[in-house]
């Protein structure tokens, strides 16, 4: 196999294609402790969120808080996870499964920080991933990176995956999401209650939209403006009926 293999579907439930000993789900993270939406949210739904000891999100938040952004930048976090699809199989028959969080992004993408993804750092992370997968006979499964959030160029990332992994004999499967926008990226609206991804104890209410910004209310009653993109990326919607603020 000299090229990447592309599949449609969710990368959090890999289809092991090469008869290997298991798989590692790899994805790119920032080093600032922000566990963003989209694929990361899917990982937390599958393997547990920040309150689940040892989950990918818990490990990520814990290490980023302990080491800080610059110290964690360029490192991989490897987490052994249990895939419930194979719950009925014995230990000897169940494929080994891991999640690899590659911290190759410095901060979030803003108009001042247009390319937070460091290609050189990603190359270092992929070299570490290659060794990890090679030693354990694992396939690498990775979602197609959203360059709108990370910066960079997918063609360059694709070449790097081939050079660092495929050419070294590591099978790599890239997933193109098939779910529609509504199921992969919510759109916050007036009336929603949100919880901060950075500080899960912080909750706000969206009370108005002025055409460019939400008008939001904090728990203490203070009012502030919030960009829709910030609401989507840094907050999660609290299902109606369980909002905890007064």
């Amino acid at each position: 196999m000299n090229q990447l293999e592309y599949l449609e579907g969710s990368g959090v439930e890999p289809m092991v294609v090469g008869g290997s000993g298991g798989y590692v789900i790899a994805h790119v993270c920032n080093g600032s402790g922000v566990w963003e939406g989209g694929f990361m949210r899917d990982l937390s739904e599958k393997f547990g969120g920040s309150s689940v000891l040892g989950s990918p999100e818990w490990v990520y938040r814990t290490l980023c808080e302990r080491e800080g952004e610059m110290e964690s930048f360029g490192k991989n976090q490897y987490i052994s996870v249990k895939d419930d699809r194979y719950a009925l199989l014995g230990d000897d028959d169940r494929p080994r499964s891991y999640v690899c969080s590659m911290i190759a992004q410095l901060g979030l993408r803003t108009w001042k920080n247009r390319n937070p993804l460091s290609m050189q750092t990603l190359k270092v992370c992929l070299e570490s991933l290659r060794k990890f997968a090679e030693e354990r006979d694992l396939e690498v499964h990775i979602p197609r990176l959203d360059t709108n959030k990370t910066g960079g160029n997918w063609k360059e990332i694709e070449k790097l995956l081939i050079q660092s992994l495929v050419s070294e004999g590591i099978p790599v499967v890239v997933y193109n999401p098939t779910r529609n926008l509504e199921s992969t990226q919510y759109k916050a609206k007036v009336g929603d209650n949100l919880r901060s991804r950075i500080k899960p104890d912080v909750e706000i209410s969206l009370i108005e939209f002025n055409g460019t910004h939400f008008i939001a209310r904090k728990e203490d009653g203070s009012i502030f403006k919030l960009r829709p993109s910030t609401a989507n990326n840094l907050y999660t919607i609290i299902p109606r009926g369980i909002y905890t603020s007064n």
Side-chain angles (χ1 to χ4, degrees), residues 189-192 204-218 222-228:
K189 60 185 181 298
V190 173
D192 284 341
I204 64 173
S205 298
L206 303 181
I207 59 176
E208 186 181 336
F209 186 69
N210 66 9
T212 59
H213 292 74
F214 286 112
I215 307 301
R217 181 192 294 118
K218 296 182 180 179
S222 59
I223 304 297
F224 69 104
K225 292 182 179 180
L226 185 70
R227 293 180 181 274

Side-chain angles (χ1 to χ4, degrees), residues 10-28:
S10 173
V12 299
E13 294 192 338
M15 300 173 62
V16 181
V17 297
S20 63
Y23 64 81
V24 52
I25 302 170
H27 68 118
V28 172

Side-chain angles (χ1 to χ4, degrees), residues 63-78:
L63 293 183
C64 285
E65 181 178 350
R66 184 171 68 196
E67 297 183 351
E69 185 169 20
M70 295 308 299
E71 185 64 26
S72 60
F73 187 55
K75 294 182 179 179
N76 286 358
Q77 300 171 358
Y78 297 101

Side-chain angles (χ1 to χ4, degrees), residues 51-194:
S51 62
V52 179
L53 186 69
S55 71
E57 182 179 355
W58 183 90
V59 172
Y60 167 78
R61 291 188 183 279
T62 300
L63 293 183
C64 285
E65 181 178 350
R66 184 171 68 196
E67 297 183 351
E69 185 169 20
M70 295 308 299
E71 185 64 26
S72 60
F73 187 55
K75 294 182 179 179
N76 286 358
Q77 300 171 358
Y78 297 101
I79 306 99
S80 177
V81 294
K82 291 184 178 180
D83 192 332
D84 54 15
R85 293 177 298 167
Y86 304 107
L88 297 180
L89 297 180
D91 290 340
D92 293 337
D93 299 320
R94 186 183 303 126
R96 289 165 293 145
S97 48
Y98 302 86
V99 170
C100 172
S101 299
M102 302 183 292
I103 303 181
Q105 181 180 329
L106 197 57
L108 301 177
R109 193 180 192 194
T110 64
W111 69 274
K112 288 184 177 180
N113 185 23
R114 297 199 178 267
N115 292 293
L117 176 65
S118 166
M119 294 297 291
Q120 185 59 41
T121 304
L122 179 59
K123 184 176 181 180
V124 172
C125 290
L126 289 175
E127 174 61 20
S128 170
L129 177 61
R130 180 192 64 78
K131 294 178 181 178
F132 183 87
E134 193 172 58
E135 291 170 357
R136 294 163 179 79
D137 187 28
L138 303 175
E139 298 175 0
V140 171
H141 293 251
I142 186 169
R144 179 166 176 155
L145 273 66
D146 184 354
T147 53
N148 288 326
K149 288 185 177 181
T150 64
N153 179 283
W154 174 251
K155 288 297 183 183
E156 294 179 5
I157 296 170
E158 189 178 50
K159 289 179 182 178
L160 195 55
L161 289 171
I162 294 172
Q163 292 170 359
S164 301
L165 300 174
V166 178
S167 65
E168 298 296 326
I170 306 297
V172 179
V173 181
V174 178
Y175 289 82
N176 286 316
T178 56
R179 292 170 297 176
N180 61 38
L181 184 62
E182 289 298 324
S183 64
T184 58
Q185 178 180 326
Y186 72 80
K187 293 182 178 180
K189 60 185 181 298
V190 173
D192 284 341
N193 299 314
L194 309 182

